Amino acid sequence: MHVPHVDRMLVVALVFGILPFAAGQVCRPPRGQYGYIYYARNQSSLDTIARNCTTVDGSIVIATNFTGSFYLPNVRNITGLIRDEWEIYSAGPTPTSISLPDLEFMGSDMDLQRMSSLTSVSAPNLKRAGWAISMDYVQDVDLRSLETVRYLTVAGKLSSLRLDSVRNVAGFVNICNKDRCDKRASAAGPLNISLPSLQTVGSIEVDGSLSGLALPNLTTIEGYGEFVGFRLATADGPAINLTFPRLSDVNGSMSLEGPIGSISMPEVRNVTTYFEVDAHDPLVIDLPLQEASEIYLHGAISSVKFPHLKSVSNFTVESSLSLDCGSVENAITKTTSAPRYQVHCKSDSKKSSKKLGTGAIVGIVVGVVVGVAGLAIILGVLYYLKRRKRQRKNPDSSTEPSDSSPPNHEELQGTHISPPKYTTPLGST
């Protein structure tokens, strides 16, 4: 079992009292192969730690045979990590909930992945984690006091999520309301996500069914490694309005997909890589961007305006709605340095309006067939009535044709077709 990164400065601060923690016992677990670790095998072992310790100078590992609720009060500081005892060839622990009501500081990870039985995680007083917090099967998460963490991953069939105080995340924030964020899994929700205090972040990825997304104080997306700057992929929920009132710096890409009602980011001037939108609902694009490496707009795009755009290397619009592509292309080539062959706009509505669907084609064919059949029946009835009338006038006729016989010479003579009237050819005198 690998013990990940520990924030050594935080550990020193905790042990030597630079950071405040309640007066009480500093407990150092037994030293093992992977460092100083308490193994939580049942609730009784947690009760022992809670009675004797306010600071654990080491780590707590949830043993493979642990089951039920994990409850650890009184402990305010853990210099190491909390995680499961996971081995390749054995089943892991099966806690149903994890509650750390008094925990304020962690030196390293809170790694709660791989535990499909876990539905609830609560650490309402945790302010700082030195490295990462991650969980992938949860439904209810309360980290309302968390301010700083390097990596944050929350996934599962989420019904509630409290991240009220997160201000800075140097790495990434990943939130997904699907178990393990598996694309094949169904999303819970729709979920309302609010990060009211978030100011700076390396990257953000949000996936699943949403009813809202609030980032009122986000100013900077710094970019992180190969991860995108900002990525949203929502589906199966109502159209949401995306508002970034204070966002000004995007070092990376922005990718927005799903039922989006509107996009507002009045302070963004530059997206260093690409800006992409795939709209599931009719969407007006009117943004103050001045620079972007590439811009891609797909789906139900009803209007496109970039009145301040000065620099773009590739600009592509593929709309499923009616769109004046000529005006869009002219506006972009006029205000930017992009060559005309790098500016593309296509509207599929004209193509779809001219092409009949399968149902329409079938309906037309059926209508024609029924009409022809009806006309044949009417003509047959008229012919039968006419023949009966003639038979009444000549009852002794022995030359009555059969139903399938062609009309005789007298019948043909009774039908007189006049030739067309002669007209003088044009140009003759």
Side-chain angles (χ1 to χ4, degrees):
M1 182 184 68
H2 173 67
V3 176
H5 180 276
V6 175
D7 188 330
R8 299 188 184 280
M9 294 299 294
L10 177 59
V11 172
V12 171
L14 290 173
V15 173
F16 288 95
I18 299 172
L19 289 174
F21 56 85
Q25 184 67 33
V26 176
C27 302
R28 171 164 287 186
R31 182 176 178 83
Q33 182 180 0
Y34 303 107
Y36 297 97
I37 296 175
Y38 283 131
Y39 283 89
R41 305 189 186 282
N42 49 46
Q43 182 58 45
S44 178
S45 58
L46 293 174
D47 293 341
T48 300
I49 298 171
R51 281 195 303 269
N52 296 286
C53 311
T54 56
T55 295
V56 174
D57 185 15
S59 300
I60 297 176
V61 172
I62 307 171
T64 56
N65 60 343
F66 190 98
T67 185
S69 299
F70 179 107
Y71 178 62
L72 182 62
N74 302 326
V75 174
R76 294 180 59 181
N77 313 293
I78 299 174
T79 64
L81 55 81
I82 296 177
R83 63 159 295 168
D84 64 320
E85 183 182 26
W86 181 80
E87 301 294 343
I88 295 176
Y89 300 107
S90 63
T94 57
T96 55
S97 63
I98 292 178
S99 178
L100 302 158
D102 301 305
L103 184 65
E104 296 179 9
F105 300 97
M106 287 198 65
S108 185
D109 293 5
M110 181 184 290
D111 183 359
L112 306 177
Q113 300 181 93
R114 300 170 295 278
M115 294 181 283
S116 59
S117 59
L118 184 62
T119 61
S120 174
V121 174
S122 176
N125 290 299
L126 179 64
K127 296 178 181 177
R128 179 177 177 181
W131 196 244
I133 295 176
S134 52
M135 53 198 79
D136 56 5
Y137 281 101
V138 291
Q139 298 177 20
D140 299 290
V141 177
D142 187 350
L143 299 170
R144 68 183 69 184
S145 300
L146 182 66
E147 297 176 357
T148 304
V149 65
R150 188 169 183 85
Y151 305 101
L152 177 62
T153 299
V154 181
K157 294 184 177 179
L158 292 164
S159 58
S160 66
L161 176 63
R162 294 288 302 273
L163 292 168
D164 305 1
S165 305
V166 175
R167 293 199 306 265
N168 303 292
V169 181
F172 55 74
V173 174
N174 292 346
I175 301 174
C176 180
N177 65 342
K178 300 179 183 178
D179 287 342
R180 300 181 64 190
C181 211
D182 187 343
K183 292 182 179 180
R184 298 166 297 179
S186 59
L191 175 69
N192 182 55
I193 297 176
S194 178
L195 302 171
S197 301
L198 186 63
Q199 298 174 8
T200 62
V201 67
S203 71
I204 302 179
E205 294 192 56
V206 180
D207 197 345
S209 176
L210 303 183
S211 60
L213 176 62
L215 296 160
N217 289 298
L218 180 64
T219 60
T220 304
I221 298 175
E222 297 176 338
Y224 176 77
E226 296 180 357
F227 288 89
V228 297
F230 187 98
R231 176 180 174 271
L232 168 69
T234 178
D236 304 324
I240 61 174
N241 297 321
L242 298 178
T243 303
F244 307 93
R246 299 187 63 190
L247 181 63
S248 58
D249 299 314
V250 181
N251 297 310
S253 60
M254 288 195 76
S255 177
L256 312 173
E257 177 185 356
I260 301 169
S262 63
I263 302 172
S264 174
M265 41 187 194
E267 303 299 324
V268 176
R269 299 292 181 265
N270 182 23
V271 176
T272 59
T273 57
Y274 65 84
F275 177 78
E276 181 178 28
V277 176
D278 189 349
H280 295 186
D281 288 0
L283 178 64
V284 172
I285 302 290
D286 188 352
L287 298 173
L289 283 178
Q290 294 181 1
E291 296 183 28
S293 176
E294 298 171 287
I295 295 177
Y296 301 100
L297 308 176
H298 309 279
I301 305 296
S302 60
S303 177
V304 176
K305 292 182 182 179
F306 289 91
H308 306 291
L309 189 63
K310 297 178 180 179
S311 176
V312 64
S313 61
N314 193 313
F315 188 95
T316 300
V317 180
E318 294 181 348
S319 175
S320 61
L321 303 180
S322 178
L323 188 64
D324 186 352
C325 279
S327 296
V328 172
E329 291 176 343
N330 290 335
I332 298 301
T333 54
K334 182 178 180 180
T335 61
T336 71
S337 57
R340 185 60 182 254
Y341 67 86
Q342 294 287 12
V343 178
H344 310 280
C345 181
K346 182 174 69 172
S347 175
D348 290 338
S349 63
K350 294 181 179 179
K351 183 187 298 184
S352 62
S353 65
K354 292 180 180 180
K355 184 178 179 180
L356 292 174
T358 302
I361 294 172
V362 171
I364 292 172
V365 172
V366 171
V368 170
V369 171
V370 171
V372 171
L375 180 60
I377 292 172
I378 293 171
L379 292 176
V381 170
L382 291 175
Y383 174 73
Y384 175 76
L385 294 175
K386 184 177 180 181
R387 191 183 65 181
R388 288 292 301 272
K389 183 178 180 181
R390 187 170 56 250
Q391 287 176 350
R392 290 192 188 98
K393 293 180 178 179
N394 303 287
D396 296 331
S397 175
S398 59
T399 60
E400 180 183 351
S402 63
D403 290 343
S404 60
S405 299
N408 56 28
H409 178 69
E410 289 79 8
E411 290 174 343
L412 291 175
Q413 287 182 330
T415 304
H416 179 72
I417 301 177
S418 301
K421 294 182 180 180
Y422 176 82
T423 56
T424 304
L426 293 175
S428 61
T429 57

